[in-house]
Amino acid sequence: MWAKLALKLFFREFRRGELTVICAAIALAVLTVLTLSMVTDRIGQSIAQKSSAFIAADRVLASSHALPQSYLEKAHSQNLKTAQLTYFDTMLFANDEMQLSSVKAVSPEYPLKGELKIKARLDAQVEIVNQGPSAGNVWFSESVFYALNVKVGDTVELGAAQFTIEKVLVEEPDAPFNIFSSSRRVLLNSADIEKTQVVQPGSRVFYRQLYAGEESDINAFYAWLKPQIKENQQWYGVKDRQSPIANSLNRAESFLLLAGLLGIILAAVAIAVSAKRYCERQYDPVAMMKTLGGSRDMIRKIYLLHLSMVCALSVLIGLLIGFGLQDIAANYLAKSMNNTLPAAGIKPWITAISTGVICAVMFSIKPLLDLFDIPPLRVLRRNLGDRLLVSKVHLAMSAMTVFLLMWLFSNNLKITAILFVSTLVLIGLLFLVSRIIFGGGRKLGLRPGNSWSLAIASIQKRANANSVQLISFALAIKLLLFLVVLKNDMIADWQSQLPNDAPNAFLVNITESELPVITDYLAQKKIQVSEFYPTIRGRVNAVNGELVAREVSLQDNEKKDEEARSGIGRELNLTWLTQSPAQNEIIDGEWFSESATGEASIEESMLARLDVKLGDTLTFLIGAQSFDAKITSVRKVNWATLKPNFFIILSPDVLADFPATYISSVRIETDQKRDFSELLRTYPTVNAIDVDSFVKQIQSTISQVSLAIGFVLAIVVLCGALVLISQVQASLGERMQEIVILRTLGAKGRLIKNATLYEFLLLGSAAGFVAALVSDVALFIVQREMFDLAGKLHPHIWIIGPLVGGTFVAVLGYFMIARTMRKNTQGLLRSLG
């Protein structure tokens, strides 16, 4: 009996649209979580896999001492691929020429990720291979050919052995991005290291072990490896390195996580508003059923069945649409990225279903319990039960639910707490602002028969309800503005670091005598070149007269002087400039004056590493000569730009008597490569470091991340629109009653329509203005704390917020009311009945 009645009521309410918004809200929450989770998971895997080419593996174990073979054996037993690298510098001899070069000896498995690009000869086409040179052969970078005056097929001496030059090395996936490292690159088979007799006790050698495989297998291996890692060993992945790609990936992950959390907040607000409104609409039917003898138990069963059916239907719809959306999005993104996206795991499905069930139950349970307590006398006294409209318990349960959903989605308690608390503070501020706005409206002089007067009177009449609406509108607009502006700032920051005309090569080791000639040649060939920086190698030897600890060799059983001050155990690249570089920001102190003598400007991380402060004196050692310089400024350096950067910059007088070489970044277009090669042939001592492929990979990754962020933003905008729709839908019944009364009193349709439009316009504009202000303050904080961006205010959104908010809410609200306005008074009365 009750089941038949329950189904009849269910389909009746569904046709009326009361359950439609709840169903749509729950479904949107489910599809939002599923789509965001699956798309971000698949994109994250794809970008991470592609970005792994920057280190030629998924993970790397690095050390300045030989690494145990037992690590590789254990990795093989856990289904991981491995490779080994050995780096050292040595002299090459050929044709009575010699050249210091950087050698990388690789095992046959190298590279595990990415590609090697080679040429059969200097003027041949580029080929792609997946394995290094065979034993007895070497590959040279182009600059080595010019320096030694050799060609492919010639013989070269490397240490105690002779090798055949087999290929021209064009590109390595994990070539070090360091403009001060040698561009004289040599690729050698690791089996040939021993016969070169170059690596001896005390030699400066660096070792790498590469690992690749499933993330679960890598994590299991690292769990075994971690207790055994020594202080001189380092385990890292692509996102652990300080590089533009690592920063881009980390920022993108933070944005996608933030967007997902805000999307859940918006969907949850829509569900909470819709569920509460539905239960309020059922007060009269419940009172009627109780009057006709319906028991509390029967009513409970009816509405719990409604909740179960809505939940099941919504979750199913959300999963189907969400899977379809993510599949469409993934296919589109895969084509844009020119890469097949990996399949997502089971976690997004579990998270999405859990979100739908939790939303349906937690946001509905308190309004349903209130619904069961409606007295039968409400059929005679319509105000009975209105005390249940505002429930602190419901608000507390809703807040707790939102927190749990955010935590479930992010799996990060810190980020969840920050966003949740900031949202609560925002709601509190908005409520106070709404009371001031609506209270102030009572003092305005109103004229009867005026649309504006009618709109303001309507706002005043529903002050409490409008406060809730204002908060919901402002919250939705704030989150949308927040994400849109943050997205634009992030992408603008990335593009400013790597614009389309970014340098794609560096010239290093230019002598002072060569500088004028090379400068003229570059100008003649119209090759874009940045400023030339003088450089010299030096060491920080003391701070305020106190010697710093030098680097020791554990291999030679040297011991560190525990009493010495901590310092930098290697030489630094020093420069001297009259003006601060454009990519540097002075954050403390002042830059050198024209009469500066013996001054130094230090980068902020080096300041902390040396444990020094403004006014301290650093003693530098260059060769056998030492000199002092006083720290007068601290700089924040943007290391992501493809320009030379320095930890320490000295005033020009300090290094005036030291011989230096110069470096600069250049932009080589395709039609200028022949001219650039001619420059290198003419000046074989000048090193050229080609970073063109590096720049292209970075720009490609940023483009992919930007595309993913745009898609996520579209989903969140949909959530925001649903919040606005649910708020307008919640007040639809009351507005219909007002329209009936106004028409009965003789009000014209044009007056009512304009008043409705103006009311929504005022609410939307007020919400947009408050949202813009709060959003800008929140952006300022989040940009600095979460995204390492320079926090700044955005005055333009203070105008855009009210305009967009007022227009969007007014248009949306007006068209939702328009259907009601087209009905005659008799039709409206039937709808209310």
Side-chain angles (χ1 to χ4, degrees):
M1 174 69 181
W2 69 267
K4 184 177 179 180
L5 178 60
L7 290 173
K8 185 176 181 180
L9 288 173
F10 178 82
F11 290 115
R12 175 176 175 270
E13 295 297 332
F14 214 94
R15 285 195 301 270
R16 290 182 58 184
E18 294 296 333
L19 289 173
T20 306
V21 177
I22 303 178
C23 187
I26 297 174
L28 185 62
V30 173
L31 74 88
T32 298
V33 173
L34 184 66
T35 306
L36 289 179
S37 298
M38 294 189 76
V39 170
T40 54
D41 183 30
R42 297 179 69 179
I43 290 174
Q45 289 185 58
S46 174
I47 293 176
Q49 288 179 6
K50 193 170 183 180
S51 301
S52 293
F54 283 88
I55 57 173
D58 290 322
R59 298 290 191 281
V60 175
L61 182 63
S63 178
S64 56
H65 304 288
L67 293 164
Q69 290 295 310
S70 59
Y71 294 173
L72 301 178
E73 294 169 2
K74 180 64 176 179
H76 289 152
S77 69
Q78 296 192 335
N79 303 316
L80 295 180
K81 298 177 182 178
T82 65
Q84 297 184 79
L85 307 179
T86 306
Y87 295 88
F88 56 90
D89 290 341
T90 190
M91 296 297 295
L92 298 175
F93 298 90
N95 298 333
D96 295 326
E97 300 285 348
M98 62 181 180
Q99 176 64 48
L100 178 65
S101 299
S102 296
V103 178
K104 178 165 71 174
V106 302
S107 64
E109 301 82 10
Y110 170 86
L112 300 181
K113 295 290 182 73
E115 301 168 333
L116 282 166
K117 294 183 179 179
I118 60 172
K119 292 191 294 186
R121 56 184 186 278
L122 287 172
D123 57 351
Q125 295 295 317
V126 174
E127 305 172 30
I128 296 175
V129 295
N130 55 13
Q131 195 175 48
S134 57
N137 295 313
V138 291
W139 296 353
F140 284 173
S141 64
E142 191 169 340
S143 58
V144 181
F145 284 88
Y146 301 146
L148 294 177
N149 191 26
V150 294
K151 61 183 182 298
V152 172
D154 287 352
T155 300
V156 64
E157 291 183 31
L158 194 164
Q162 292 188 340
F163 296 90
T164 300
I165 305 172
E166 184 183 29
K167 300 289 184 182
V168 180
L169 179 60
V170 177
E171 182 182 319
E172 308 157 76
D174 58 335
F177 178 61
N178 183 345
I179 62 173
F180 298 106
S181 66
S182 173
S183 66
R184 316 298 193 190
R185 309 284 296 166
V186 177
L187 209 61
L188 178 74
N189 191 295
S190 59
D192 291 329
I193 294 178
E194 186 176 352
K195 69 179 184 181
T196 65
Q197 300 180 19
V198 171
V199 178
Q200 301 290 334
S203 298
R204 189 176 180 84
V205 185
F206 299 95
Y207 300 87
R208 302 284 188 274
Q209 287 183 352
L210 309 185
Y211 300 89
E214 297 294 332
E215 192 68 21
S216 57
D217 293 332
I218 292 175
N219 292 335
F221 172 71
Y222 181 60
W224 172 85
L225 178 66
K226 187 175 181 181
Q228 306 176 63
I229 293 180
K230 297 179 175 59
E231 291 184 0
N232 59 11
Q233 297 172 352
Q234 183 185 13
W235 173 266
Y236 62 86
V238 67
K239 290 188 290 186
D240 301 318
R241 310 299 286 169
Q242 285 295 326
S243 67
I245 185 63
N247 294 336
S248 299
L249 291 176
N250 290 328
R251 281 184 183 178
E253 282 191 355
S254 298
F255 182 90
L256 295 175
L257 176 62
L258 188 64
L261 289 174
L262 298 183
I264 287 177
I265 293 175
L266 289 170
V269 169
I271 296 170
V273 171
S274 303
K276 192 170 184 299
R277 177 57 186 166
Y278 170 71
C279 290
E280 290 170 6
R281 290 279 294 173
Q282 300 304 308
Y283 285 175
D284 291 342
V286 168
M288 184 66 70
M289 281 191 281
K290 286 185 176 182
T291 303
L292 298 176
S295 66
R296 179 186 176 89
D297 183 62
M298 183 190 75
I299 295 172
R300 183 187 300 113
K301 290 179 179 178
I302 289 174
Y303 285 99
L304 287 178
L305 179 61
H306 284 188
L307 176 61
S308 301
M309 293 175 68
V310 168
C311 179
L313 180 62
S314 303
V315 169
L316 181 60
I317 293 173
L319 292 176
L320 291 174
I321 298 177
F323 181 77
L325 278 178
Q326 71 82 29
D327 190 56
I328 294 172
N331 289 333
Y332 173 71
L333 293 172
K335 290 180 181 178
S336 301
M337 296 178 178
N338 195 26
N339 188 28
T340 302
L341 299 185
I346 192 65
K347 184 180 177 181
W349 292 92
I350 297 174
T351 305
I353 294 172
S354 301
T355 299
V357 174
I358 291 172
C359 284
V361 174
M362 296 299 290
F363 289 132
S364 304
I365 192 67
K366 186 58 176 66
L368 281 176
L369 293 176
D370 290 344
L371 182 62
F372 303 151
D373 291 333
I374 293 297
L377 284 177
R378 183 179 172 89
V379 296
L380 299 177
R381 295 176 58 189
R382 297 294 298 277
N383 63 331
L384 288 178
D386 286 350
R387 62 182 177 82
L388 301 173
L389 294 178
V390 179
S391 171
K392 293 180 180 178
V393 175
H394 182 228
L395 293 176
M397 290 182 66
S398 298
M400 182 179 68
T401 302
V402 171
F403 182 83
L404 289 174
L405 289 172
M406 293 170 65
W407 191 7
L408 176 68
F409 181 81
S410 69
N411 199 28
N412 188 314
L413 184 59
K414 182 179 179 180
I415 293 179
T416 298
I418 292 174
L419 291 177
F420 182 74
V421 172
S422 64
T423 302
L424 289 182
V425 172
L426 170 64
I427 291 173
L429 291 174
L430 287 170
F431 185 77
L432 291 176
V433 170
S434 68
R435 305 306 294 174
I436 294 172
I437 292 175
F438 299 140
R442 301 178 189 278
K443 300 178 182 179
L444 297 174
L446 304 177
R447 293 181 299 157
N450 182 275
S451 296
W452 281 105
S453 299
L454 187 59
I456 294 174
S458 179
I459 289 176
Q460 293 173 350
K461 178 185 175 183
R462 287 191 298 272
N464 289 331
N466 284 332
S467 296
V468 176
Q469 281 196 331
L470 181 66
I471 291 171
S472 298
F473 290 158
L475 183 61
I477 296 169
K478 178 257 180 185
L479 297 180
L480 296 178
L481 284 174
F482 183 93
L483 288 180
V484 170
V485 177
L486 180 59
K487 167 185 174 288
N488 292 338
D489 283 358
M490 283 175 57
I491 294 175
D493 183 69
W494 287 333
Q495 291 174 342
S496 67
Q497 295 172 10
L498 292 171
N500 292 330
D501 60 347
N504 57 6
F506 289 89
L507 286 174
V508 184
N509 199 35
I510 302 171
T511 63
E512 192 162 2
S513 61
E514 293 171 334
L515 184 60
V517 182
I518 291 177
T519 303
D520 291 342
Y521 181 84
L522 293 173
Q524 179 186 350
K525 299 300 181 181
K526 297 181 180 180
I527 296 176
Q528 182 181 332
V529 60
S530 64
E531 180 181 356
F532 284 89
Y533 293 85
T535 64
I536 192 168
R537 301 280 290 179
R539 182 187 299 272
V540 178
N541 197 45
V543 176
N544 295 327
E546 181 183 356
L547 289 176
V548 300
R550 68 185 184 86
E551 189 175 25
V552 298
S553 173
L554 298 178
Q555 185 172 335
D556 296 334
N557 296 318
E558 295 183 11
K559 293 184 178 180
K560 181 179 179 181
D561 184 356
E562 299 295 341
E563 296 182 359
R565 184 187 183 102
S566 62
I568 305 300
R570 61 180 176 86
E571 289 187 332
L572 300 174
N573 293 287
L574 306 175
T575 190
W576 58 97
L577 301 172
T578 56
Q579 299 293 329
S580 175
Q583 66 272 21
N584 289 198
E585 175 189 356
I586 304 296
I587 59 175
D588 198 5
E590 295 182 358
W591 185 253
F592 313 134
S593 63
E594 292 184 3
S595 59
T597 56
E599 296 184 4
S601 177
I602 189 168
E603 188 266 344
E604 57 179 343
S605 68
M606 183 60 68
L607 185 83
R609 188 170 176 182
L610 289 173
D611 190 21
V612 293
K613 60 184 183 300
L614 284 177
D616 285 349
T617 299
L618 302 178
T619 300
F620 295 88
L621 186 65
I622 298 178
Q625 301 183 54
S626 65
F627 58 88
D628 294 337
K630 182 180 179 181
I631 300 174
T632 57
S633 65
V634 181
R635 291 169 294 113
K636 182 181 180 66
V637 176
N638 186 353
W639 296 101
T641 58
L642 293 176
K643 296 180 180 179
N645 280 310
F646 301 86
F647 285 110
I648 298 176
I649 299 177
L650 298 166
S651 56
D653 65 292
V654 178
L655 298 176
D657 297 329
F658 289 90
T661 59
Y662 289 79
I663 66 170
S664 181
S665 56
V666 294
R667 173 72 187 181
I668 310 298
E669 302 296 345
T670 304
D671 58 351
Q672 296 173 328
K673 289 187 176 180
R674 184 181 296 274
D675 294 330
F676 191 65
S677 296
E678 184 61 33
L679 174 66
L680 299 180
R681 290 191 187 96
T682 307
Y683 299 95
T685 58
V686 175
N687 291 352
I689 301 172
D690 185 4
V691 294
D692 190 47
S693 60
F694 179 86
V695 172
K696 288 178 179 177
Q697 288 187 64
I698 291 288
Q699 290 175 333
S700 172
T701 300
I702 289 175
S703 175
Q704 295 168 17
V705 170
S706 302
L707 193 63
I709 285 174
F711 176 78
V712 170
L713 188 61
I715 296 292
V716 177
V717 168
L718 186 60
C719 293
L722 188 67
V723 169
L724 300 180
I725 292 172
S726 63
Q727 280 294 340
V728 174
Q729 182 76 15
S731 64
L732 196 57
E734 190 174 352
R735 293 181 185 278
M736 289 172 65
Q737 291 178 355
E738 290 181 359
I739 292 171
V740 169
I741 295 172
L742 289 171
R743 282 185 174 177
T744 303
L745 295 175
K748 295 182 179 180
R750 183 180 181 84
L751 175 69
I752 299 173
K753 287 182 180 180
N754 289 340
T756 302
L757 182 63
Y758 296 157
E759 181 182 352
F760 281 117
L761 185 64
L762 290 172
L763 285 174
S765 299
F769 180 71
V770 176
L773 294 180
V774 177
S775 177
D776 212 11
V777 174
L779 269 170
F780 183 85
I781 297 172
V782 170
Q783 283 179 329
R784 296 179 70 93
E785 298 300 323
M786 284 186 66
F787 293 91
D788 195 28
L789 293 171
K792 62 179 180 179
L793 297 178
H794 306 79
H796 63 280
I797 70 171
W798 303 349
I799 300 174
I800 294 174
L803 289 176
V804 173
T807 303
F808 187 62
V809 173
V811 171
L812 184 63
Y814 183 81
F815 279 103
M816 287 191 67
I817 298 295
R819 183 169 56 90
T820 300
M821 299 290 295
R822 286 194 292 268
K823 294 182 180 180
N824 56 32
T825 305
Q826 187 177 5
L828 288 173
L829 287 172
R830 287 199 191 96
S831 300
L832 291 171

